[in-house]
Amino acid sequence: MSERNSLSDLEIARQATMRPIEEIAAAAGINAAALELYGRYKAKVDPSLLAAPEPAGKVVLVSAMSPTPAGEGKSTTTVGLADSLARAGHKVMIALREPSLGPILGMKGGATGGGYSQVLPMDEINLHFTGDFHAVTSANNALMALVDNHIYQGNELNIDPRRMTFKRVLDMNDRSLREVIIGLGGPTQGVPRQDGFDITVASEIMAVFCLATSLADLRERLGRITFGYTYSRDPVTVADLGVQGALTLLLKEAIKPNLVQTIAGTPALVHGGPFANIAHGCNSLIATQTARRLADIVVTEAGFGADLGAEKYMDIKARIADVAPSAVVVVATVRALKMHGGVPKDRLTEPDLEALQAGVANLRRHLHNVEKFGVAPVVAINRFSSDTEEELDWLLEWCAAEGVQAAVADVWGRGGGGDGGDELAAKVASAVAAPNSFHHLYPLDLPVEEKIRTIAQEIYGADGVEFSVPALKRLAEIEKNGWSGLPVCMAKTQYSFTDDASRLGAPKGFTVHVRDLIPKTGAGFIVALTGAVMTMPGLPAAPAAMRMDVDDAGNPVGLS
Amino acid sequence: MSERNSLSDLEIARQATMRPIEEIAAAAGINAAALELYGRYKAKVDPSLLAAPEPAGKVVLVSAMSPTPAGEGKSTTTVGLADSLARAGHKVMIALREPSLGPILGMKGGATGGGYSQVLPMDEINLHFTGDFHAVTSANNALMALVDNHIYQGNELNIDPRRMTFKRVLDMNDRSLREVIIGLGGPTQGVPRQDGFDITVASEIMAVFCLATSLADLRERLGRITFGYTYSRDPVTVADLGVQGALTLLLKEAIKPNLVQTIAGTPALVHGGPFANIAHGCNSLIATQTARRLADIVVTEAGFGADLGAEKYMDIKARIADVAPSAVVVVATVRALKMHGGVPKDRLTEPDLEALQAGVANLRRHLHNVEKFGVAPVVAINRFSSDTEEELDWLLEWCAAEGVQAAVADVWGRGGGGDGGDELAAKVASAVAAPNSFHHLYPLDLPVEEKIRTIAQEIYGADGVEFSVPALKRLAEIEKNGWSGLPVCMAKTQYSFTDDASRLGAPKGFTVHVRDLIPKTGAGFIVALTGAVMTMPGLPAAPAAMRMDVDDAGNPVGLS
């Protein structure tokens, strides 16, 4: 049971004994030539030097019910499940996203799991890691410096500075940079224009990085990025500017997946991390495929709930390579189900069977959605200390009545290396071994608006979709530019099936409002914006950074 | 002789056979516990785990005559000299600055020496390296995000947004970011104010990073940084905001020096890299001191000519720790001397003894300046293929007549690992072994304006100094805030002893104009600005990035 004892995640992480990363690599079947050490406990794996067969491992995708501010523990479950599968004798590897520095300095402490289900070294993974996000930041900002320099030096490409669709980025929560004016100071200082900064994980380069199948494919995709339009409204790409080579050069080391270990010693590739709203929210495809060459079962994760993360995994990532999941784990908590059943956030620790019974409607829709892709869901009930036996028993019975496999897991408190995830692992292993009939939700030759309608109706449960006037204009533009064959990447609140974050549970009789569409021609999808999407977070009144420090021995303090 | 053959620096570098960095470390006396690998040929050295005695190695400081756009090859000489000293049997280590990414994408290809005197792996050192500069960028921008968030959240410290003295940074040449307006978009997006971005190497955090003696001292210095003033004109420091801990945490890995090797296998610590105008222009003090624990002779470099780099090394860096040089190498070239003698840049390859004879006046003043610190200069004549024997012989004779040791070196073409620097190494070794009487140019208790006057008159040869009205106001402010005891860091053009870049040679009868003073209370010096200082470079019409790429095997292309 998740007794939230007095130890912080950082303290638990620091008490753990790590094995040298060479040992982890050797046990995972990574030959020395393919391994490049970054300190003692981190390494990069070069897939081109890897003496391992073609990808064949089966994928377990960890997704979730609609998340709540209470936190459902998806990364913790991913780590704990993998540890439990390893404990049961399976050859397992984890594939996870890298944490972004901005939120670490802002709200939360880190993003490497929690309790006794963490990837290590948590402090180094959370702070700079092997520099991948810095490389993405550099490539993104090199592109924009080159674009603005092109305009300044005469603008041969006829770029319209008012129609730029690409921004500079920082891996920082910096509200003041959301809307800026650049190029001030007179004729020798640039060309003034309105601009803004996104956080690095929102960069299309991050999405490209995570969908590329190789360094050569990365170069191709970077070249296809549309960063703006000409005065005659034609798209201008990175290849038009001719700098895809330089951007690839800046990313050539970063594109190699990073190997670390869990507290229990399970190997994990932690690599890439695009936003889950305006991008697809999974670790790099290269990491997933590398893990599939090395392990029989790859446990990976997709951002937000199954309506967003899992759908995008299936319809975007799993179209590029054969990474379709053999099982989808849907993480649920009693707390979150009660919140979807109408309980306010500050009363979630009180027993409330009635609210639980109302809230499962949310979980049910997610489970049915997973089945629509031809894959069997497994419910992971992530246990918290406030859960009552009555609530847990009822939930297990409900799952059984729904015909869905389910298990209570306490990977936070007891760890997957302990017995916290044994039952979950057994059910997941069975699901992986069973046949499935995976298929995408929609064919690519469906018109873009029909793709959006299909997702909204089939997955969200909407009655229909309403397109704003700008969105309709954009649809015509997409048609004209030949981008209609791309899949859709929905940017919608993660808290609700609707585009209104306050409508919890499993709402019916609603319309999804698409206010704009953003073609991401490098990543290879069309983002459909429903509601406002924050691509540059701000810091709270008391940022986590205020508590961070180093102690006298140089050890980190204040990460959690 | 420097036959500029058809091989680029990158090609020469790639033909070189590197030894595993563990071997280089072991040969240098670095115990395994203190070594953290970053790939096969880079490592960080943790000084706190180093089983080596206290710093005792002697320092050779490589400086130069007033530089010209033709390039004098100071880094190349530093590397080649160290290789030559090693070849002669000395226990040698190099301490160099890390290159900045911005200029690499812009004008020049890299900053790791040239020809057969390079540090390797040149491509990785030039691109991201071990991420130190990214960590400095993160720390700098975290500070500014926290400052602007503080203002947004209620501004308890009463910070005046119009009197901010600290900017955000990117390691990029990005002219458009020099002058910007941030915080636009209304009340939820921040507080609008005028701002700008500097290049990362111009950040005070970079200067602090390079002058800190330990992690604890780094934390203290970060806390002392003044980032702006209150509405009542009082300075506001990082410690007032309380985020020195978080910034230190962001820098705790970066602060460990990076070990690499030269083509000849000499160990080199490449670490830190502050601007040489608004900062002091040397690699980190921690790297210099680490090298002094491991080697008998440490060859290091200071930015620009001896009037700037060497003076700052002596009066800023060598006050913090006992790193005073035992010898100063002044790099000179026949080409640069001819330019100082009046020959235009495009005719420097033509023999011109008369111009050479006129130009040595520049070198003479630098040599006398070095002697003013009680240290013997050694002239390194960096040979180019256009130099005639007559010119070289005359220059050697002139040095002899001046009573100064000198040698012609061809470390670019023949390498210090070859015989290109044997004679220079022998003369430097003699100078190091001879006694010297090092002293600073001025005592710290001299008033700031007198410190500036002393440097201007003693080192530059000026008649006097003129302070602008704003500079005089700032002097009063410095006095009021108790900063008068800090040393001075002159920001002056590197091309001339005067503050006018066009006045070459050894001008007389001029006044130095101080237009403003910037207290850098974290780094611990007062910057005196003479003329305009560019702290955010721009990209040229044909940026180097346009030629950069990766080949089909993933190897870098277009670095030079």
Side-chain angles (χ1 to χ4, degrees), chain A residues 65 332-341 355-356 358-360 363 395:
Chain A
M65 58 180 290
T333 64
V334 168
R335 302 196 302 181
L337 288 168
K338 287 192 284 195
M339 193 160 169
H340 279 284
L356 178 63
V360 287
L363 179 58
L395 187 52

Side-chain angles (χ1 to χ4, degrees), chain A residues 366-421:
Chain A
H366 284 294
L367 297 173
H368 287 182
N369 285 344
V370 170
E371 286 164 355
K372 285 181 183 161
F373 292 95
V375 185
V378 178
V379 176
I381 304 169
N382 186 22
R383 185 169 190 160
F384 279 73
S385 53
S386 59
D387 301 349
T388 66
E389 293 301 322
E390 191 189 11
E391 289 170 327
L392 291 168
D393 288 345
W394 184 88
L395 187 52
L396 283 170
E397 278 165 33
W398 178 85
C399 289
E402 293 279 319
V404 175
Q405 293 294 318
V408 175
D410 183 12
V411 293
W412 193 97
R414 300 209 306 262
D419 61 354

Side-chain angles (χ1 to χ4, degrees), chain A residues 397-447:
Chain A
E397 278 165 33
W398 178 85
C399 289
E402 293 279 319
V404 175
Q405 293 294 318
V408 175
D410 183 12
V411 293
W412 193 97
R414 300 209 306 262
D419 61 354
D422 284 355
E423 200 188 334
L424 176 64
K427 300 210 165 169
V428 168
S430 299
V432 166
N436 73 62
S437 56
F438 172 80
H439 53 83
H440 306 295
L441 186 70
Y442 54 82
L444 288 181
D445 57 8
L446 214 59

Side-chain angles (χ1 to χ4, degrees), chain B residues 65-76:
Chain B
M65 58 179 291
S66 299
T68 69
E72 283 64 55
K74 202 165 45 183
S75 297
T76 304

Side-chain angles (χ1 to χ4, degrees), chain B residues 62-340:
Chain B
V62 178
S63 188
M65 58 179 291
S66 299
T68 69
E72 283 64 55
K74 202 165 45 183
S75 297
T76 304
T77 302
T78 301
V79 173
L81 169 60
D83 284 342
S84 301
L85 285 164
R87 186 172 131 96
H90 297 281
K91 194 163 166 53
V92 182
M93 200 161 215
I94 295 169
L96 269 184
R97 283 173 292 172
E98 301 180 50
S100 168
L101 187 58
I104 291 167
L105 297 170
M107 272 297 193
K108 54 179 189 170
T112 45
Y116 291 90
S117 293
Q118 297 187 51
V119 282
L120 305 176
M122 81 85 101
D123 55 333
E124 295 180 26
I125 297 173
N126 281 314
L127 301 170
H128 309 305
F129 199 20
T130 58
D132 296 343
F133 283 19
H134 293 318
V136 170
T137 305
S138 291
N140 185 107
N141 295 342
L143 171 59
M144 290 319 292
L146 289 158
V147 168
D148 276 308
N149 185 59
H150 179 91
I151 294 171
Y152 172 82
Q153 303 283 358
N155 201 3
E156 203 181 322
L157 287 173
N158 201 31
I159 300 162
D160 186 344
R162 305 161 309 172
R163 294 184 193 278
M164 212 74 97
T165 53
F166 210 89
K167 294 180 180 177
R168 287 171 179 78
V169 297
L170 286 182
D171 192 7
M172 201 55 67
N173 284 15
D174 196 345
R175 167 193 304 109
S176 292
L177 296 180
R178 284 176 191 156
E179 294 191 30
V180 304
I181 293 174
I182 64 167
L184 298 173
T188 61
Q189 314 281 13
V191 178
R193 67 179 180 88
Q194 197 175 346
D195 199 10
F197 283 68
D198 285 338
I199 191 165
T200 298
V201 287
S203 168
E204 184 175 352
I205 292 186
M206 180 65 88
V208 162
F209 184 91
C210 288
L211 289 173
T213 55
S214 65
L215 192 65
D217 183 51
L218 175 68
R219 191 177 180 283
E220 286 297 312
R221 285 176 183 272
L222 289 168
R224 288 202 294 266
I225 289 175
T226 303
F227 62 77
Y229 293 83
T230 65
Y231 283 104
S232 9
R233 308 271 182 106
D234 292 320
V236 199
T237 67
V238 171
D240 292 334
L241 193 65
V243 298
Q244 67 275 32
L247 305 193
T248 308
L249 183 57
L250 287 170
L251 295 170
K252 84 178 172 66
E253 298 303 313
I255 198 69
K256 301 171 186 169
N258 308 297
L259 179 71
V260 292
Q261 62 191 290
T262 68
I263 289 178
T266 306
L269 294 178
V270 177
H271 196 227
F275 254 32
N277 44 37
I278 58 150
H280 62 291
C282 323
N283 61 266
S284 78
L285 183 57
I286 289 181
T288 306
Q289 290 293 62
T290 302
R292 289 184 65 228
R293 293 172 68 186
L294 294 161
D296 297 331
I297 301 180
V298 175
V299 186
T300 190
E301 187 194 343
F304 296 155
D307 54 333
L308 289 162
E311 187 274 316
K312 292 176 188 191
Y313 187 96
M314 312 291 202
D315 283 326
I316 297 173
K317 181 166 176 171
R319 283 193 210 257
I320 295 173
D322 175 29
V323 293
S326 300
V328 173
V329 173
V330 179
V331 178
T333 65
V334 168
R335 301 196 303 181
L337 288 167
K338 287 192 284 194
M339 192 160 169
H340 279 283

